[in-house]
Amino acid sequence: MGLGIGLVGLPNVGKSTTFNALTKAQNAESANYPFCTIEPNKAVVPVPDPRLDELARIVNPQRIQYSTLDFVDIAGLVKGASKGEGLGNKFLSNIRETALILQIVRCFEDENITHVEGSIDPVRDIRIIETELLLADMESLEKRIAALERRAKGNDREAKAQLEVARSLMEHFEAELPASTFPGREEEAYQTLERDLRFLTAKEIMYGANVDEEGLAEDNAYVRALRDYAAERDREVIKLCAKIEEEMVDFDDEEKKEMLASLGVEESGLDQIIRKGFEKLGLMSYFTAGVKEVRAWTIRRGTPAPKAAAVIHNDFEKGFIRAEVISYEDFVRYGGEAGAKEAGKMRLEGKDYIVQDGDVIHFRFNV
């Protein structure tokens, strides 16, 4: 299931370094000058899930397959990007293809690393980026309003309904408010506009506070200011040191754990980004566990069993008979499928069953 998280920010804030560490591949060039990243780098990143390792310990499969997320490293935006400044609208269009925005923000001083705005101010940097996203949405909506006005003159009822909502949305934008807070988001006319124009400011946003080593254990003034700004907008802040995360790429689990402990943190910033990004997208995993493979399958929360089965193969949905379900906890507690079944913990579920996070499932189907 390809759902992209776009890494966005001003030039030279650590996006490509973060991307390198996320993908465990040094294929996004990092350098101390703006627009180092020109084409969007894309990669599929496994979602860390210790439950898979526990299932594998019991089943002893030939391989383990994690759920995944798509990450896109998008080149640095600058003030005026919506009008073509820097590398301009090309990168705004790349953001439209993602489902969630992770804005990397620089929260440390270093005179050896140039900042495109000449000083460190994370809230200012965020406002620059978010203003450009808003201006791009306004430009798209303005064109749509002009087209709707032409159609409305011909007594097109659908156009008239959309035009009313579009004008209201434009007033919302002019008040410097994002599409995500528009009161009419549930209206069908808005849904049509959103589907067609894919508003940048409608996307979920998380902030990645890129700090130096000293800033990991205790928030510095830049991170505190960022957290205050994010709290007002009900947005997540994840603190990381991109440089250290990149250094840990080749560490094994024990070495990584020791490094994090020495820095006074419990969880890698990148692991938090992947885990919380997965949650923000409304995703979860169910498992299949056999001797050939223990695998996590990605579905949206609230997915019924036949639709969940279709993630494995469309034929599973077409010929769905039932789902044999064991909760992850019971699978582990009773040492696998046979033990859980003997303990009466395997359930037979039908087409209306809503799959739960961590279910271990065997689908029965007939085609």
Side-chain angles (χ1 to χ4, degrees), residues 13 29 229 260 269 324:
V13 296
E29 182 187 3
Y229 180 88
L260 293 172
E324 299 174 353

Side-chain angles (χ1 to χ4, degrees), residues 266-279:
E266 294 182 1
E267 185 180 14
S268 157
L270 296 182
D271 285 351
Q272 292 182 61
I273 286 170
I274 299 168
R275 176 172 54 81
K276 291 182 179 180
F278 198 70
E279 294 171 1

